[in-house]
Amino acid sequence: MERKLEVIPAIQDAVAIGVKNSASLVLTVVFYVLTIWIPYLNVGTTIAMATIPGKLAQGSVINPTFIFDSVYRRRMGSYFLLQGFLHIMMVPAFCFLIVPAIVLSVMYSLALFIMLDKDVTPTEALELSNKATYGFKWKIFFVSLVYAILFGIVFWIIFAICDAIDVGLITLILMIAVIVLGICCGTALNAVIYRNLFLNVQEPATKPLQAEA
């Protein structure tokens, strides 16, 4: 299947996936926060949290207890190695007026999902992410920007309405609900990008993806 990423369909898919998984995502975060103080376990749960977009891309509702699976603790070395590579690249990139850092962050934005989802090495994941996002970097950035703007507009419209009718505590609860739902849909947007540019491509994950100009 051809790689594709359209702004409106991508955001619509993200909202649908985010709403569908909102309850399980909130419960996952609760489990994570309650256990973040436990040494060693917290490494595995942190890595598991990073895989959420990859799991959402599969289409099924996630099980909040998946973060305690021991498989994520076994990927600790690969996870830290990948994060090390990314941070080493970002430091000099920021010295060139920030834009190269933005390009690199988009270029390798799928690397973590690919590494944990397809069980490849950090360097393979970086290369596959580079190939998957080739020709789509600015579109990925634009889709994310449009979503952020739309979320901001919706948030302030709801806030203005609630403030105008002065509903007090209900306003606070509604604002928290909107923020939580916005974060869920934003996470789902990463899942949509990963699905459309990598998972849905016919070529096997270990073979180069067809480049687009």
Side-chain angles (χ1 to χ4, degrees), residues 12-168:
Q12 288 176 334
D13 283 352
V15 171
I17 296 171
V19 171
K20 176 182 176 182
N21 286 271
S22 58
S24 58
L25 286 174
V26 169
L27 192 55
T28 302
V29 172
V30 171
F31 285 164
Y32 177 69
V33 172
L34 290 177
T35 58
I36 190 64
W37 57 274
I38 304 177
Y40 188 55
L41 178 66
N42 55 13
V43 176
T45 55
T46 298
I47 295 172
M49 292 293 288
T51 70
I52 287 178
K55 288 190 171 298
L56 293 179
Q58 307 294 334
S60 58
V61 176
I62 65 172
N63 181 351
T65 60
F66 88 93
I67 64 173
F68 301 116
D69 195 322
S70 62
V71 67
Y72 299 108
R73 294 190 291 276
R74 293 198 297 270
R75 302 304 305 278
M76 179 172 58
S78 297
Y79 174 79
F80 287 133
L81 188 58
L82 178 61
Q83 294 295 341
F85 286 154
L86 292 173
H87 283 83
I88 289 173
M89 285 187 288
M90 289 301 170
V91 171
F94 269 108
C95 297
F96 289 88
L97 302 180
I98 302 178
V99 174
I102 296 175
V103 174
L104 284 177
S105 65
V106 175
M107 179 188 299
Y108 298 123
S109 59
L110 306 182
L112 183 59
F113 311 146
I114 294 172
M115 184 185 75
L116 297 174
D117 189 27
K118 299 301 180 181
D119 196 21
V120 297
T121 66
T123 52
E124 288 173 331
L126 290 169
E127 181 63 20
L128 288 169
S129 178
N130 179 22
K131 292 173 181 176
T133 58
Y134 186 82
F136 288 86
K137 294 181 185 65
W138 288 112
K139 183 167 282 189
I140 293 171
F141 178 78
F142 184 67
V143 168
S144 302
L145 180 62
V146 170
Y147 174 78
I149 292 173
L150 290 176
F151 171 69
I153 292 173
V154 171
F155 178 85
W156 285 111
I157 288 176
I158 295 176
F159 177 79
I161 293 173
C162 292
D163 187 58
I165 60 179
D166 192 22
V167 289

